[in-house]
Amino acid sequence: MADCPPVAIVCVGMAGSGKTTFMQRINSHLHTKKTPPYVINLDPAVHNVPFDSNIDIRDSLNYKEVMKEYNLGPNGGILTSLNIFATKIDQVMGILEKRTKPDPETSNARPIKNIIVDTPGQIEVFVWSASGSILLDSLASTFPTVIAYIIDTPRTSSTSTFMSNMLYACSILYKTKLPMILVFNKTDVQDAEFAKDWMTDFESFQAALKREEDSGSFGGVEGAPGGIGGGSGYMGSLLNSMSLMLEEFYRHLSVVGVSSMTGLGVTEFFDAVREKAEEFERDYKPELERRQQERQKQKESKREKELEKLMKDMNVPSSASKGPKNTEATRAPRKDAIDTISDMETDEDLGNLEHDSDPPTDEDDEAASNSNGDGLSQRYEAALADENRSGNGQDHSFSRYLHASRMN
């Protein structure tokens, strides 16, 4: 187990779900076990955090200054701060790789087994932004990465809010494509057994939904005829359909009830983390590698197409069709070739110098056309026509200009 890579635990959750307090609890738990984690804070707008961060986005960026400089609101300031920080992800990953590898010079140093990451309370700013994808993909490409979705248990006691959290968790799972643990926080206020029953027993959720319909929770009047509390029945039907849809989704999740205040359930949380880390190595990592290979192939294909288009625009033949006669190495340089454009311009300015060079040959015309495209070929033919009309025998024509341009 000592050779196992450290696990990155990325904590996400809505504002007020107790995410930061949960971070403090698991950090304290790991310190108690003599296995201190490596802590990263990615929330630029937080004033104080109850734990020490090894990497803190606030050390690199001033959230209020970003808002002022770019004339942004709160969410825009957080998003822009994350985007700027994401440009340094290579430095962050370099630090993590260095800190997680055992140092042979300090054999008594304990290797890091966990990396915990705190994110902004605005989930969409992190999960659905380009910077969030860059940070998560970078972590997942190096370490087994697990998403811990923190849920406020007391506020999830109704079927509608419960289903809203489940839909959000479903969207995060399929957006990040990483193993997820549902952490029902604040179990010291309300036990999370009801949520576990709703996820494992469909009939239990249906019974709770029926009770809320009868009590008029969906806009009706309690005790009204029709068995739907006097409402239209749309909300109950919608929740019923979504619960059927998410039944398969629940099977891929680990559910843990945790109290960040008392520490109850933290041990079960880290048991779930170990299971998800094994699942990452078994199921998720091959898929990530396959997607990375596909992206690399797409980049190479796109690069080849762009190069082919560029060569076509320049009228440059492919390497397979090039013969020895088209290469500069097989063609002997002319004795009187002008070395620089400035030399040619000087001769033109003097106007009375005589030149001994031979007139341009067909070989020069072919090289000029191949290296400069159809447009240059037309200009070359026009230059020859002007020279023939003038009849003055001057040879600093367009072919010499082409030679000078290539050499310069």
Side-chain angles (χ1 to χ4, degrees):
M1 295 295 293
D3 297 333
C4 293
V7 181
I9 305 171
V10 182
C11 299
V12 298
M14 296 184 183
S17 61
K19 180 168 48 62
T20 302
T21 309
F22 175 77
M23 283 279 299
Q24 179 192 20
R25 173 56 63 182
I26 62 176
N27 182 35
S28 175
H29 176 82
L30 292 173
H31 276 279
T32 303
K33 297 294 183 180
K34 306 299 182 183
T35 56
Y38 203 81
V39 184
I40 302 176
N41 175 42
L42 295 180
D43 190 353
V46 65
H47 291 288
N48 297 300
V49 289
F51 50 83
D52 294 331
S53 301
N54 300 97
I55 297 177
D56 198 327
I57 189 175
R58 297 176 300 170
D59 296 336
S60 304
L61 295 164
N62 189 319
Y63 165 69
K64 292 185 178 179
E65 290 298 325
V66 170
M67 290 176 58
K68 185 185 300 182
E69 180 177 355
Y70 295 99
N71 193 25
L72 300 170
N75 287 347
I78 295 174
L79 178 60
T80 304
S81 299
L82 283 172
N83 290 340
I84 297 174
F85 186 79
T87 61
K88 304 180 181 180
I89 188 60
D90 55 335
Q91 302 177 26
V92 175
M93 297 307 301
I95 294 173
L96 291 176
E97 292 177 358
K98 182 178 180 181
R99 291 289 291 112
T100 53
K101 289 182 179 178
D103 190 355
E105 298 181 358
T106 56
S107 57
N108 58 344
R110 293 180 179 271
I112 294 174
K113 296 183 179 180
N114 294 279
I115 301 169
I116 56 178
V117 183
D118 192 13
T119 61
Q122 292 79 358
I123 302 180
E124 67 280 357
V125 171
F126 178 77
V127 175
W128 297 98
S129 65
S131 56
S133 298
I134 291 171
L135 293 168
L136 286 176
D137 290 346
S138 300
L139 283 174
S141 64
T142 309
F143 309 105
T145 305
V146 178
I147 302 293
Y149 181 55
I150 317 300
I151 300 174
D152 190 346
T153 306
R155 296 183 179 179
T156 317
S157 57
S158 68
T159 56
S160 56
T161 54
F162 171 81
M163 191 55 61
S164 298
N165 271 290
M166 293 302 102
L167 290 174
Y168 221 132
C170 181
S171 66
I172 294 173
L173 176 66
Y174 288 105
K175 174 65 172 66
T176 61
K177 295 181 175 62
L178 294 172
M180 175 182 287
I181 302 174
L182 293 185
V183 181
F184 284 90
N185 197 15
K186 305 180 183 180
T187 55
D188 55 311
V189 179
Q190 182 170 356
D191 190 67
E193 287 301 320
F194 75 93
K196 296 179 181 178
D197 291 340
W198 289 354
M199 296 178 67
T200 56
D201 187 358
F202 176 74
E203 294 181 355
S204 176
F205 181 80
Q206 292 297 308
L209 182 60
K210 184 67 167 59
R211 287 194 299 269
E212 292 187 9
E213 286 180 335
D214 293 340
S215 64
S217 300
F218 301 144
V221 180
E222 184 175 358
I228 56 174
S232 63
Y234 170 77
M235 191 66 178
S237 177
L238 176 63
L239 294 177
N240 186 26
S241 301
M242 288 191 295
S243 63
L244 288 172
M245 178 192 69
L246 295 178
E247 187 176 3
E248 182 67 23
F249 164 70
Y250 295 149
R251 299 179 183 179
H252 301 280
L253 299 178
S254 295
V255 183
V256 180
V258 174
S259 172
S260 299
M261 293 299 295
T262 64
L264 182 66
V266 175
T267 302
E268 289 78 4
F269 169 75
F270 281 102
D271 292 340
V273 168
R274 284 192 292 270
E275 293 178 2
K276 289 300 179 180
E278 295 174 359
E279 182 180 338
F280 177 90
E281 295 287 350
R282 182 181 66 251
D283 301 331
Y284 287 82
K285 188 175 181 179
E287 178 65 16
L288 290 174
E289 292 176 350
R290 185 188 65 81
R291 283 166 28 209
Q292 289 176 355
Q293 292 175 358
E294 288 182 355
R295 286 197 296 266
Q296 185 64 26
K297 290 180 180 179
Q298 290 176 358
K299 289 182 180 179
E300 292 177 357
S301 176
K302 183 178 180 181
R303 190 181 301 114
E304 291 177 358
K305 290 181 180 179
E306 290 177 350
L307 180 59
E308 182 180 353
K309 182 179 179 181
L310 177 62
M311 295 179 68
K312 183 178 180 180
D313 293 341
M314 296 178 63
N315 198 23
V316 178
S318 61
S319 57
S321 62
K322 277 187 177 181
K325 66 177 183 178
N326 290 332
T327 59
E328 290 288 337
T330 58
R331 187 166 63 244
R334 295 172 57 182
K335 295 185 299 181
D336 58 343
I338 300 176
D339 292 336
T340 60
I341 296 180
S342 60
D343 294 338
M344 183 186 70
E345 290 175 347
T346 302
D347 290 344
E348 290 178 349
D349 292 339
L350 292 176
N352 296 324
L353 291 179
E354 295 181 358
H355 301 277
D356 325 345
S357 59
D358 299 331
T361 64
D362 294 339
E363 190 173 305
D364 295 328
D365 297 346
E366 182 180 359
S369 176
N370 289 337
S371 61
N372 294 276
D374 296 335
L376 292 182
S377 178
Q378 296 174 359
R379 293 168 58 190
Y380 174 68
E381 293 174 0
L384 285 180
D386 293 339
E387 183 177 359
N388 293 334
R389 284 194 299 268
S390 61
N392 55 8
Q394 292 183 347
D395 58 357
H396 48 275
S397 60
F398 192 70
S399 62
R400 297 177 57 78
Y401 174 76
L402 291 177
H403 280 292
S405 299
R406 289 200 301 272
M407 297 182 67
N408 192 35

